[in-house]
Amino acid sequence: MKLRNLFIPLVIMVMAACQEAEYPVEVPVYADVDNLVTVDKSTTTIGGEYTVKSMESFTYGIKGMQSTDEVKLRYQQTGELMSWSWGYQYLGILTGHETAEDSAKLLISNGRKYEPDTITVGYNVTDQWKMGKWDLIVCRGSESQVIGTFDCKVLMNDSVDFSRVNGGIIGVYADGWQVGEDTFLIVRPDTKEPVLSVQASATSESSSTKVVNLSFVPDSIAATGTYLLQIKRWGYAMVQDLGTVDFFYYQYATPVFTKDGDDWYINVMLDEAVDGDRFVVGYNNNKKSFTHNISEENFDAETNVYRILIEEKALNDEETYAVMLRKSTYNMNLGEVTLNMSEFE
């Protein structure tokens, strides 16, 4: 068998794909058959979700490959073909102590040995990659055989922890990270317009999966609503949806001020009342402040409105207040509001 190009090293950047761009579609002229090669399923795993990381070593046990065969990927949605190079897997340099069985099994060439029934597939830099299902095919003349199909995704996503999203933390458990290349996007689900873009950074590893935390300042979203979390890879905008999230932005309620007897209150919106959290209220141009510890009795669970009692020392007509929610993990500034007592006369 004539040895073709050995494995072309996988260039990670090749996975970048521009989903919005238009590419010429090579019209397939192959007739699908099932008798060109034999796939050894014990050494070949094709199918399911493949990530960039797991695609770094595309090695398949395939018998019957001929030196003139071509290996291509066919995008199911359009039929577009992407040519790949292939070769026999390099197993090492001969030691001089090979057995007769080794000699019978291995193809010896240029002082190296190769496994004829195992091929390694590689590809050059291309921006043809698109999210979705691709068929891996062996082409011979006018015929082709589908070896397998995989769903091209950026990450092998396991789960997303949205429990701390209102505090500016989302944990994504997945395999296939390219930390430093991957970027989190929080987008509006209707327009896909990004409201936040943060590069994936700190990574911690558990027994079988990795978690990358998206940390952001809640003020950067600044609007309560439902958003879509995406992961974007490189400059070609290969984007994968990771899930939707309901984000609750801490803000002033309507009305901002209320009066109950002789007591005046500042009203804010909370997603929950948590004992131990507190508000710091600045006044007199923030040169003074008082602290208000959150308690259940001041929270209306039906309206999500929390009442902050204005301390007597800080109560003045036309006073401007700056409220900050202080939690154990972050601070949220709600901005300034001004009390006009004449509105309640």
Side-chain angles (χ1 to χ4, degrees):
M1 252 184 223
K2 181 180 177 181
L3 179 65
R4 299 197 63 186
N5 293 334
L6 193 57
F7 179 70
I8 295 179
L10 179 78
V11 181
I12 296 298
M13 289 294 289
V14 78
M15 279 298 297
C18 182
Q19 294 176 299
E20 302 298 330
E22 293 293 334
Y23 297 100
V25 176
E26 182 182 344
V27 179
V29 294
Y30 302 105
D32 282 344
V33 297
D34 59 5
N35 59 355
L36 298 183
V37 295
T38 301
V39 179
D40 182 357
K41 294 184 178 180
S42 66
T43 59
T44 303
T45 303
I46 305 174
E49 296 177 332
Y50 275 73
T51 69
V52 178
K53 183 174 182 179
S54 63
M55 291 173 66
E56 290 183 15
S57 180
F58 261 75
T59 301
Y60 304 112
I62 301 175
K63 297 181 180 180
M65 290 289 292
Q66 297 181 7
S67 61
T68 56
D69 288 345
E70 295 181 285
V71 177
K72 298 186 178 183
L73 275 177
R74 183 169 59 198
Y75 190 46
Q76 287 189 358
Q77 185 172 336
T78 63
E80 178 178 352
L81 295 173
M82 186 193 309
S83 296
W84 281 21
S85 296
W86 67 276
Y88 299 118
Q89 183 182 20
Y90 168 55
L91 297 182
I93 299 175
L94 291 175
T95 65
H97 300 287
E98 282 69 32
T99 65
E101 182 180 356
D102 292 332
S103 299
K105 181 180 179 182
L106 301 174
L107 174 65
I108 300 176
S109 173
N110 298 326
R112 300 174 183 270
K113 55 185 181 179
Y114 301 88
E115 171 59 75
D117 293 333
T118 301
I119 70 168
T120 301
V121 180
Y123 45 94
N124 290 309
V125 174
T126 176
D127 56 5
Q128 287 181 276
W129 278 108
K130 297 176 177 68
M131 298 286 286
K133 292 185 178 180
W134 294 77
D135 291 327
L136 183 64
I137 59 177
V138 172
C139 305
R140 183 179 301 165
S142 62
E143 296 179 327
S144 64
Q145 179 178 344
V146 177
I147 302 175
T149 301
F150 63 87
D151 192 0
C152 179
K153 295 189 175 183
V154 176
L155 296 177
M156 185 84 77
N157 189 29
D158 180 53
S159 62
V160 183
D161 179 10
F162 290 119
S163 63
R164 297 179 292 168
V165 62
N166 295 322
I169 299 176
I170 300 175
V172 181
Y173 295 79
D175 191 24
W177 293 104
Q178 293 297 326
V179 174
E181 301 287 353
D182 296 334
T183 300
F184 286 110
L185 298 177
I186 295 180
V187 304
R188 294 184 175 90
D190 51 348
T191 64
K192 296 298 189 293
E193 178 186 357
V195 297
L196 184 67
S197 176
V198 179
Q199 190 176 69
S201 53
T203 304
S204 60
E205 188 171 357
S206 62
S207 58
S208 61
T209 188
K210 290 184 177 179
V211 56
V212 169
N213 287 324
L214 162 59
S215 299
F216 62 96
V217 178
D219 282 332
S220 59
I221 297 181
T224 296
T226 299
Y227 295 89
L228 178 63
L229 176 65
Q230 298 177 328
I231 191 76
K232 172 184 175 183
R233 181 148 294 175
W234 303 303
Y236 290 102
M238 176 180 271
V239 177
Q240 177 183 347
D241 293 342
L242 299 180
T244 56
V245 53
D246 292 322
F247 176 74
F248 194 101
Y249 180 67
Y250 299 109
Q251 56 192 319
Y252 290 107
T254 302
V256 178
F257 296 97
T258 53
K259 183 181 180 183
D260 186 358
D262 293 329
D263 294 328
W264 292 81
Y265 296 89
I266 302 173
N267 301 308
V268 299
M269 299 289 293
L270 290 181
D271 61 337
E272 59 183 359
V274 181
D275 289 330
D277 295 344
R278 55 184 175 159
F279 289 106
V280 178
V281 182
Y283 62 101
N284 286 339
N285 294 322
N286 290 325
K287 293 181 180 179
K288 297 181 180 179
S289 65
F290 67 88
T291 299
H292 175 93
N293 293 324
I294 293 178
S295 59
E296 292 287 346
E297 60 266 23
N298 288 332
F299 179 64
D300 187 334
E302 293 184 0
T303 62
N304 283 0
V305 174
Y306 187 88
R307 303 196 307 172
I308 303 173
L309 176 64
I310 302 176
E311 294 186 0
E312 184 176 356
K313 64 182 180 181
L315 182 59
N316 296 291
D317 191 18
E318 302 298 329
E319 182 68 78
T320 296
Y321 302 93
V323 177
M324 177 178 66
L325 173 63
R326 179 169 292 173
K327 299 176 72 70
S328 59
T329 55
Y330 66 93
N331 296 328
M332 171 67 76
N333 294 309
L334 279 68
E336 296 183 342
V337 289
T338 300
L339 174 61
N340 185 348
M341 292 183 176
S342 62
E343 294 179 355
F344 295 86
E345 294 177 354

